[in-house]
Amino acid sequence: MSAQLQFKRRVYLLPLIAILLNIASCTTNNRNINRVSLVGAGASFPAPLYERWLSDYNQQNPNVEINYQAIGSSAGVQQLIEGTVDFAASDVGITNEEAAKIKRGAIALPITAGSIVLAYNLTPSSQSPQVNPPTTIKLSRQVYVDIFLGKITNWNHPRIAVANPGVSLPDLPIQLVHRTDGSGTTSVLTQHLSAISPEWKSQVAAGKSVAWPVGIGGKGNEGVTALIQQIPGAIGYVEYVYAKQNKLPTAALENKFGNYITPTPKSVAQTLEAVKLPADNLIAFITDPIGAQSYPIVTYTWLLTYHQYPNRVKAQALKNFIDWAVIDGQKSSLELGYIPLSKKVVIQVQSAAKKIGE
């Protein structure tokens, strides 16, 4: 009797095992079918936020893997033109000339915003054994232009001192640090410098890459940040998050109204309120904001996609990620030091993103 029961159990178990194996196989196949990989490259400005987003999104959507490489806005746009990435990122969007080279069409979506700050290092050195370096420095408009032009070369210069009464400025050479790669951050900064200084506009002008009158170069926001940290007396321009994460002090800059403004979420948001994004391409800049409490160097950063994708699965996966980024992803923006998109801009982005793959 025991042998018969064991035989019957085997008879019943064999079909059950076959069914379970079939289900497992189908599940594996479905996972493989739904798995999608996207590759992006471009601006270093939003890279810390992208890193957070892609990690959070992958945890919620394990079948979607998105990789992003911070190589600079110029290189990101070039890779989009060459078709070697699925999306790019740029702090200056994309020009009509660049977009015309993309047969599949291009869509620019503002994805977050932030400020470009002048971070500096006034830690004591053998040249200037100062015990307590100043934590906050005010720089007038003409002073920071002249630092970039190489006209002001020492931290205790009288024109710096006049805006910083009572501050002990070190007798230390100024070492300017700038970008070496084609950079949207550079473009935004030099557009601002050109707007406030006819001399800068005529001698250097604006662009992703310019002929710097003075200074040494670093690649990406991370490269400039590292050099500022290493060199006593250094000053350079980086996206605010890089200064915040590395605990670098940042200068309060004089705005068009004549007030010295430190980069804070409030002062940056006030500047963005004056930026009107055109409906046709969602790209706009404000090179010299007029608000009394506006921080003067602010920009959106754009995620660039194709209009047409041969792979519909990729197109849909990218659309899903963008929709997540402008809603759930914005919660991480403020935490890291970026500025969340306004409700109006979110609606504009969602409307434009619907055209992806159509």
Side-chain angles (χ1 to χ4, degrees), residues 336-350:
L336 292 178
Y338 296 92
I339 306 302
L341 301 177
S342 68
K343 291 181 180 179
K344 180 180 180 181
V345 174
V346 168
I347 292 172
Q348 287 181 287
V349 172
Q350 288 177 321

Side-chain angles (χ1 to χ4, degrees), residues 46-358:
L49 182 59
Y50 278 20
E51 184 179 350
R52 168 72 69 83
W53 279 355
L54 300 185
S55 174
D56 291 349
Y57 191 74
N58 181 252
Q59 287 182 10
Q60 298 176 29
N61 302 271
N63 286 346
V64 180
E65 181 182 0
I66 308 176
N67 294 299
Y68 180 78
Q69 185 178 9
I71 59 175
S73 295
S74 289
V77 171
Q78 185 58 38
Q79 289 204 9
L80 194 75
I81 291 172
E82 294 172 358
T84 56
V85 292
D86 298 305
F87 67 94
S90 169
D91 303 333
V92 287
I94 187 168
T95 66
N96 291 332
E97 292 76 15
E98 290 168 337
K101 298 177 183 178
I102 303 175
K103 295 180 180 180
R104 292 157 59 185
I107 298 173
L109 305 169
I111 205 73
T112 190
S115 55
I116 296 169
V117 302
L118 301 189
Y120 57 87
N121 177 0
L122 294 184
T123 54
S125 70
S126 57
Q127 292 176 283
S128 179
Q130 189 177 3
V131 177
N132 296 311
T135 56
T136 302
I137 295 291
K138 295 179 181 178
L139 297 178
S140 71
R141 290 153 74 83
Q142 195 55 55
V143 162
Y144 63 80
V145 169
D146 284 349
I147 288 174
F148 279 100
L149 285 171
K151 290 184 173 184
I152 295 178
T153 59
N154 201 288
W155 279 103
N156 66 356
H157 193 285
R159 289 175 57 201
I160 297 178
V162 72
N164 297 277
V167 176
S168 179
L169 295 168
D171 181 9
L172 190 63
I174 292 174
Q175 178 65 70
L176 181 70
V177 185
H178 57 72
R179 293 280 289 272
T180 56
D181 51 325
S183 160
T185 305
T186 298
S187 180
V188 173
L189 172 76
T190 54
Q191 285 183 63
H192 171 70
L193 296 178
S194 294
I196 68 174
S197 170
E199 184 178 6
W200 180 274
K201 185 176 182 179
S202 63
Q203 291 188 14
V204 185
K208 294 178 185 176
S209 298
V210 299
W212 295 99
V214 293
I216 60 174
K219 185 176 181 180
N221 274 279
E222 61 279 12
V224 173
T225 300
L227 286 172
I228 296 171
Q229 289 177 304
Q230 295 164 16
I231 304 172
I235 184 170
Y237 62 98
V238 294
E239 201 280 324
Y240 170 75
V241 171
Y242 289 84
K244 177 184 177 183
Q245 290 182 344
N246 292 280
K247 299 181 180 179
L248 285 172
T250 59
L253 303 183
E254 183 187 15
N255 66 13
K256 192 169 188 175
F257 200 81
N259 292 329
Y260 287 89
I261 307 297
T262 56
T264 65
K266 183 177 180 180
S267 64
V268 174
Q270 286 184 336
T271 304
L272 288 172
E273 287 175 3
V275 181
K276 305 299 181 184
L277 297 173
D280 58 341
N281 65 7
L282 301 186
I283 299 174
F285 306 96
I286 183 165
T287 57
D288 190 18
I290 60 175
Q293 299 302 316
S294 292
Y295 182 76
I297 315 177
V298 170
T299 185
Y300 284 103
T301 183
W302 286 262
L303 190 151
L304 308 176
T305 78
Y306 296 106
H307 187 184
Q308 298 293 338
Y309 284 83
N311 187 324
R312 291 187 177 183
V313 175
K314 279 193 173 186
Q316 188 58 53
L318 186 56
K319 290 170 76 170
N320 292 344
F321 168 70
I322 291 168
D323 190 59
W324 177 90
V326 297
I327 301 296
D328 294 344
Q330 296 301 303
K331 299 171 186 176
S332 302
S333 296
L334 200 57
E335 177 188 339
L336 292 178
Y338 296 92
I339 306 302
L341 301 177
S342 68
K343 291 181 180 179
K344 180 180 180 181
V345 174
V346 168
I347 292 172
Q348 287 181 287
V349 172
Q350 288 177 321
S351 177
K354 290 179 181 178
K355 300 174 184 177
I356 297 172
E358 289 185 353

